[in-house]
Each structure stands twice: as C-alpha cells, then as structure tokens.
Amino acid sequence: MIQVFAFYLFATIVVASAAMVIFARNPVHSVLWLILAFFNAAGLMVLLSAEFVAMLLVIVYVGAVAVLFLFVVMMLDIDFAQLRAGFVSYFPLGGAIAMVLLVELILGIGAWQAGSLNLAQRTAPLPEATPNIEAIGQLLYTRYIFLFEAAGLILLVAMIGAIVLTHRARGGTRPQNIDKQNRRRPEEAVRNVNQPVGQGVDLGGVEL
Amino acid sequence: METLAVFASVLPEIVLTIAGLILMLVAAYAGDGSARLVSWLSVASLALAAVLLGQLAVHAGGEIFDGLYRADAFAAFAKALIFVAAAVCILVAPRFFDGEGGQRAEYPILILFACIGMAMMVSASDFITLYVGLELNSLAAYVLASFMRRDERSAEAGLKYFVLGALASGILLYGMSLLYGFSGTTNFAGVAQAIGDGLGTGELFGLVFVLSGLAFKISAVPFHMWTPDVYEGAPTPVTAFFASAPKVAALALTTRIAITAFGPGGHSWQQIIIFMALASIVLGAVAAINQPNIKRLLAYSSINNVGFALIGLAAGTAEGVAAVLSYLAIYVVMTIGSFVCVLQMKDKDGRPVETIASLSGLSRTRPGLAAAFAIFMFSLAGIPPLFGFWAKFLVFDAAVAAGLTPLAAIGIAASVIGAFYYLKVIKTIYFDKPAEGFAEERSPIDYGIITLCATVIIIGYFLNPVLGRASAAAAASLF
C-alpha cells in the first residue's frame, strides 16, 4: 500500500514539476523545477529497486548537470521574450513534431499492451540475491577493471587537451603569493623615520 | 590466470600509463621549460615498454581480463612498430617547435597517452576494448592536430579531424551495437561464432558499419576526405605521427577484426576490403599528381599505401596477414624518413616551407638530403633495389596465392601511376633550376634518423629473414 502511495506521490510531483519547467517565466526557476523533477524520478527508481540509477540521477543529474544548466542560464543573457516571438510562424513545424510524438506515444502504448518484450535471451541476467549497486561494482572492478582504468585515462586526456588548447598565461596579473607574504618580516616592511616638523612626507622608494 | 600474471601481460601499457602520469605532473609544475626533459623521459619509457614487449612476447598468449584483451605475437609486433614510430616523432619535435615559439611539455605526454590507446587497439579482442582504445588514441590525436593553436591551419585541422572522427566513431559504435544486438556478445570470438552460424542481415549491416568506421581511421577511400587537410594543417612532427603509429594501429586492428571476428563471413568482408584497397590505390595515385604541397602529397601517398596493405588483408590468409605486417613495418620506416626530410625544409628565416617547388635543385644545395629524399621516394614508388619494392611484392604475392590475380594486376598498374608523382618530386630535386636554398641546420638526431631509415631501406633485404619470421609468427597467432 505504501508503495502505491509513494509511487503516485513521486509520479505526480515529477509530472507537475516537469510542466512547471516549461511554464515558469524565469529560466532560473525552470532549472530549479527540473532539479525537483530529477529528485522525484530518483524516488521512482528506488521504488523499482534500481538504487544505482537513482543515485546516478541525484549525483550526476542534480549534482552536476542541473547545476551546470543553472550556471549557463545565469551567465547567458537570454532575452526570453524575444525567443518566444514568432510563435505563429513556427507553429506548423512545431505542430508536425508534436503529431509525430503523439503517434509514437500511441504506437508505444499499443505495443506495450500487446505484451512485454521477450527478454529471455539477454546475455547478462540480473543476479538474484545481490543488490544492483554491488552487482555493478563486482563487474566494474573485476572483469572490466582494465576498461574502467582506460576510461579514466580518456577523461584525463580530455582534461589535458582542454587545458593545452585554451590555457594562456596572462601577463600583468597580480596573483597572491601567500608564501612571500608569510616570509615578510616587520623589518622589511616598516621604516622608522624621524620626520621633521613642517615638511611633507616622502614616500619614495617605499613599496606599497 | 594468476592476477599477477594478468597484470604482467599488460606491463607495457602500465609502464606507459605511470610514465604519462608522472611526466604530466612534471610538466604541470616545471612548466614548458621542462619540455626537453619530458621528451627524453617519454622516449625512455617508450623504449622500456618496447623492451618489456620483447620479454613478454616469449611466453605471451591467451586472452586476459575475461576475453577483453589479447597479448599475442600479433599485438607485440604492432606495438613494437607503434612505440618506435611514436618515439621518433617525439625526438624530432623539439627543433620544429623551437621555430614556432618553443615546445610545450604536453606534446610528448599526449603521444604517450595515444600510444596506450593504440596498444589497447591492437590487443583488443572485444569491441568495448577496441572502442575505449580507439577513443583514447583519437582524443589525444585531435589535440595534437591543433597543437599550434595560434596557427589557423592547425586549428582547422584539429576541428576537421575532431568532427569527422566523431562521425566515424558514431558509425563504428552503431555497427558494434548492431553486431552486439544480433550476436548477443561483444567478444570477437563470440561474434565469429554467431556469424559462423549464418550471416544474417543485421550482422551484415553491423559488419559494414564497423568496417566503414575503421576505414575512416585508416583513411581508406571512400572515407579518406579528412586526410590531406589534416596532414597539411597539423604541425609536421604530428603529421609524421599520424602517418605512422595510428595507421599501424588502425590497420592492425582492422586485420584482427576481419580475421578473428568476421572470419567466418569471409566472402562478405573480403569484397568490401577489395573495393577499399582498389579505390585507395587508384585515388591515392591519381589525386596526388597535381599536389603542390609536399605534406598533401605524402597524405595521398599514405592513402595509396593503405590500399596496398589492404590487398594483403583481402587475401585473408596467414601469408596475407604476414604481408600486411611486413608492409606496415617497411611503410613506417619510409614514411618516418620522408617526414623527417620534410622537417629539414626551412627557409632562411627558419620558417618551415612545404611547397614541392622549393625543393628545386636541392641536389646542388644539399646533396645528402636530396639523396635521402630520392631514396625514400624511389622506395615509396616501389622501385626494385629498395625495400619498398619488397613490401609491395609480398602483398601481391599473397593476393595471387589466394586467387586474387585481377586485384594484384590492377594494383600493379596503379602503382605505375603512383610512381609518376614520386618521380616528379625526384625530378624537381635533381633536374630543376636551384631555388633558394634551405637554412643550414645541423641536427644530429634528425640526420641520424634519416641515415638510419635510408640505410634500412637500402640494405633491407638483409633484414628479410628477421622480418619474415617475426611477421609470420605474428600472423600465425591470429589463425
């Protein structure tokens, strides 16, 4: 009973927040609604006992992708009123795409009602007793360890490449050198001057 | 197999990985001033990896990591070629980059990572290993192509290579997913078994897509379009690298897939390979005729050579595979030699020049360099006393033995067309009015490499027993 209740709760919030992603006027609010949708989709995955996918959704989509979206939306100066202009002229194309999606939905539901896919032939059946996070870990760190490490190298090469191609040393910047600051002694920084009365202060040669 | 023995089999890759990681940190902390040090250490680690390869080859064999990876004589042969070619490309780079505002320390490191990817490619016995290795190599190559980021042509080359390479990866992945869907496994042996039970339409589609994706990587016609532009735009040491090591890796990979994974469907892949071989030879020969740029010319020459190597593969026999490997070994020596000669082409201000016209009368200003150029060009054309002839002879011999006489005949006819443009370069060097001479620069490393390559090309026939035995042993491990 509690599962059914949880399912309808999560599902309703997913659909509602997905709708709000589209309808929200402020793009920042759209991204926040998207994050809510992701969270509730993760809840649905937990109900299906696919904990790993649930964690991926939260960590990867909410933690990284959505935050990235947020940054991009906030950094780009997009005039949404301008984007929404020309609705009528794009309506035929948009309507056609909507029709295609509708037909696909009907076909999909029809195929689903005709019976589920025959999955008996799949080469890697789900293990019965182990939770799926452990099952993935067992494969990833034993059988596929070589590829796992190599995939790590690919990411490293991508990172090096991005730095090599875009990094440039800029002159004229004044970075903070903490080491130098800490090594500075009062004797170097402070100068006692017997200032004669009635004359201006000469700061020449003093490093500010 | 024992865990330790498993990791011992991938020791060359492990050595390269650790060297790459440490050198990356050195480069990050010490800056570009450490470029020379990093270069030499990279070459040392490649040499170490090659030595380990020789040690392993003695008692190698067998699939490890549950059939994802094969350490056999075939892989060892290809890896040795790759490591040596990569080391040479690191050695010749500093002088080139010095003229372009200093070498950056990341160059040798990216080549090291590309080498790890290529080693995975030639050792792959599973489509996933293949793809991961291919991407590791390709990503490093994209960055290397646009390494001189302020140079417009270099940036263009990198972008072109990236977009077309991504397209090729997509095609390859699509083919792999089809094969996986219809055979239920990504393992080469499993795919071979499924194809052996009868080649279905789905498997055939998968096979065609996989071969198309690989044709991009070896730049075989009709998927060669990127080659001249990328070879011309990339910095010359990088072009030398592209023309040697990744070509060896991709061709060895194609050979392994064709023989071990698609083997039972022989007829269907053979006709694709035969078409690609003929088209590459003819287009490589004809399109190169009017090229004014030496790097573009060598790009078409590499397309042409890939075609000849594919003739050996089309034979589909152990002799054919051995011929492909011998061809690759000789091709690498010729190509590296030619590109190091191209690296010597600098005008009085030290800027690199690439036009063939600037080679006019080189025989009078730089007789030694001219002779080396002539040797490599004659060898690429396949003129008998030189080693390049033997390479072509081997693939034609294998094709005739496998009953593909028409293919060999067309190949020989097209190699005559190809000879025309190689001879044209030699004619420019020896018989044209001298152009403004190149800057005199004495570089013992470059001259040493050119001398070594030229010597191998001239006295190559004495190496035949060694090369023949090694390539035959390597080919035997596929059957």
Side-chain angles (χ1 to χ4, degrees):
Chain A
M1 192 59 215
I2 182 82
Q3 292 97 324
V4 177
F5 176 73
F7 170 79
Y8 281 109
L9 178 74
F10 287 137
T12 317
I13 299 181
V14 168
V15 175
S17 53
M20 286 308 291
V21 173
I22 308 170
F23 290 122
R25 291 212 161 262
N26 188 331
V28 177
H29 292 174
S30 286
V31 176
L32 294 177
W33 283 115
L34 188 67
I35 293 175
L36 184 63
F38 280 146
F39 259 114
N40 286 282
L44 287 175
M45 292 300 170
V46 171
L47 283 181
L48 286 172
S49 70
E51 313 93 80
F52 185 67
V53 182
M55 273 169 52
L56 276 190
L57 266 178
V58 173
I59 295 172
V60 177
Y61 280 88
V62 178
V65 178
V67 173
L68 191 71
F69 278 2
L70 202 56
F71 273 122
V72 172
V73 166
M74 287 162 81
M75 275 159 71
L76 291 179
D77 186 21
I78 307 170
D79 185 357
F80 280 87
Q82 201 185 352
L83 275 183
R84 290 207 183 90
F87 176 76
V88 179
S89 59
Y90 291 122
F91 183 74
L93 182 66
I97 294 172
M99 282 308 293
V100 170
L101 287 177
L102 183 68
V103 171
E104 280 183 346
L105 262 181
I106 294 169
L107 273 178
I109 291 173
W112 177 64
Q113 279 179 339
S116 66
L117 289 171
N118 179 17
L119 289 180
Q121 284 180 351
R122 63 180 166 197
T123 49
L126 288 176
E128 287 297 328
T130 40
N132 56 44
I133 297 178
E134 277 181 32
I136 288 173
Q138 276 171 8
L139 276 181
L140 207 54
Y141 299 116
T142 57
R143 188 171 165 189
Y144 293 107
I145 179 72
F146 186 64
L147 301 181
F148 181 73
E149 298 291 340
L153 282 184
I154 293 182
L155 294 178
L156 179 68
V157 167
M159 198 175 81
I160 298 175
I163 294 171
V164 164
L165 293 181
T166 57
H167 176 76
R168 47 180 59 100
R170 241 171 290 168
T173 54
R174 297 192 164 182
Q176 185 182 20
N177 188 339
I178 295 172
D179 193 36
K180 196 176 161 196
Q181 285 178 342
N182 285 342
R183 266 190 282 119
R184 201 173 183 207
R185 301 262 67 90
E187 302 84 60
E188 304 164 23
V190 181
R191 189 164 58 122
N192 283 327
V193 181
N194 191 1
Q195 182 67 22
V197 179
Q199 286 184 12
V201 181
D202 178 23
L203 289 176
V206 178
E207 202 181 316
L208 286 176
Chain B
M1 213 187 277
E2 294 274 319
T3 313
L4 215 59
V6 167
F7 284 101
S9 308
V10 288
L11 210 51
E13 282 90 337
I14 293 178
V15 165
L16 290 182
T17 309
I18 293 174
L21 293 176
I22 293 174
L23 292 177
M24 184 191 70
L25 290 178
V26 171
Y29 281 102
D32 290 339
S34 64
R36 292 291 159 104
L37 175 74
V38 173
S39 291
W40 281 109
L41 289 177
S42 304
V43 171
S45 61
L46 281 168
L48 177 62
V51 170
L52 286 172
L53 217 54
Q55 296 289 314
L56 285 175
V58 182
H59 50 86
E63 300 196 334
I64 49 174
F65 297 115
D66 280 305
L68 290 174
Y69 183 98
R70 255 188 96 85
D72 53 12
F74 180 82
F77 188 97
K79 278 181 208 173
L81 273 181
I82 291 166
F83 293 164
V84 170
V88 171
C89 295
I90 295 176
L91 281 177
V92 295
R95 268 192 64 236
F96 176 85
F97 284 114
D98 280 350
E100 309 285 331
Q103 192 188 5
R104 302 177 56 200
E106 287 88 359
Y107 173 82
I109 295 167
L110 283 169
I111 288 198
L112 277 189
F113 283 122
C115 282
I116 301 166
M118 288 185 280
M120 286 181 69
M121 282 162 71
V122 297
S123 274
S125 58
D126 190 288
F127 280 114
I128 306 178
T129 320
L130 179 172
Y131 185 71
V132 171
L134 193 77
E135 270 322 281
L136 184 52
N137 169 36
S138 302
L139 265 181
Y142 303 146
V143 179
L144 285 172
S146 48
F147 203 68
M148 282 163 25
R149 59 184 188 198
R150 284 195 192 82
D151 182 47
E152 210 171 89
R153 288 192 315 160
S154 178
E156 183 199 327
L159 196 63
K160 238 176 211 169
Y161 196 20
F162 175 68
V163 172
L164 290 175
L167 178 68
S169 291
I171 292 174
L172 187 69
L173 273 180
Y174 186 50
M176 281 160 50
S177 69
L178 278 174
L179 280 174
Y180 174 57
F182 282 92
S183 62
T185 174
T186 52
N187 193 281
F188 287 176
V191 170
Q193 201 183 357
I195 289 180
D197 297 342
L199 185 71
T201 316
E203 284 150 350
L204 184 64
F205 265 80
L207 186 153
V208 172
F209 274 107
V210 166
L211 283 181
S212 307
L214 290 174
F216 255 107
K217 301 291 174 188
I218 59 176
S219 67
V221 178
F223 301 104
H224 64 284
M225 301 78 72
W226 57 273
T227 321
D229 294 339
V230 172
Y231 279 30
E232 186 192 349
T236 311
V238 176
T239 312
F241 177 67
F242 286 170
S244 53
K247 262 233 158 119
V248 173
L251 260 171
L253 173 67
T254 312
T255 308
R256 189 193 282 278
I257 287 190
I259 301 293
T260 61
F262 300 156
H267 179 66
S268 41
W269 63 261
Q270 255 170 340
Q271 49 183 335
I272 300 174
I273 298 287
I274 288 175
F275 169 75
M276 290 200 301
L278 281 182
S280 305
I281 292 172
V282 173
L283 188 126
V286 174
I289 289 176
N290 269 329
Q291 293 303 329
N293 183 305
I294 185 84
K295 278 162 84 179
R296 279 187 92 83
L297 184 121
L298 286 171
Y300 281 106
S301 153
S302 87
I303 295 174
N304 184 259
N305 278 294
V306 162
F308 286 117
L310 285 178
I311 287 183
L313 175 58
T317 55
E319 292 76 43
V321 173
V324 172
L325 289 175
S326 298
Y327 196 101
L328 283 177
I330 299 168
Y331 164 75
V332 162
V333 176
M334 296 188 294
T335 304
I336 294 269
S338 328
F339 273 106
V340 180
C341 284
V342 171
L343 273 174
Q344 311 305 315
M345 295 166 58
K346 286 185 169 186
D347 64 10
K348 292 284 181 234
D349 303 329
R351 272 193 301 270
V353 281
E354 294 166 2
T355 55
I356 294 175
S358 69
L359 284 169
S360 303
L362 190 69
S363 60
R364 266 147 284 176
T365 47
R366 301 277 292 276
L369 186 62
F373 243 122
I375 288 169
F376 295 129
M377 290 296 143
F378 273 129
S379 179
L380 280 166
I383 306 293
L386 299 167
F387 213 14
F389 166 73
W390 181 247
K392 287 196 168 64
F393 174 78
L394 280 175
V395 290
F396 290 140
D397 189 39
V400 171
L404 296 170
T405 317
L407 176 64
I410 302 176
I412 291 168
S415 76
V416 176
I417 309 176
F420 170 72
Y421 65 83
Y422 294 122
L423 293 179
K424 215 172 90 173
V425 175
I426 297 172
K427 176 224 152 208
T428 311
I429 292 175
Y430 275 89
F431 300 111
D432 282 7
K433 273 208 191 82
E436 198 186 344
F438 294 133
E440 278 286 332
E441 278 184 64
R442 300 270 165 231
S443 161
I445 295 176
D446 290 13
Y447 286 175
I449 291 168
I450 293 177
T451 316
L452 192 66
C453 291
T455 316
V456 170
I457 295 296
I458 294 170
I459 61 149
Y461 289 94
F462 296 107
L463 302 173
N464 261 343
V466 184
L467 184 64
R469 211 177 313 125
S471 60
S477 66
L478 282 194
F479 288 90

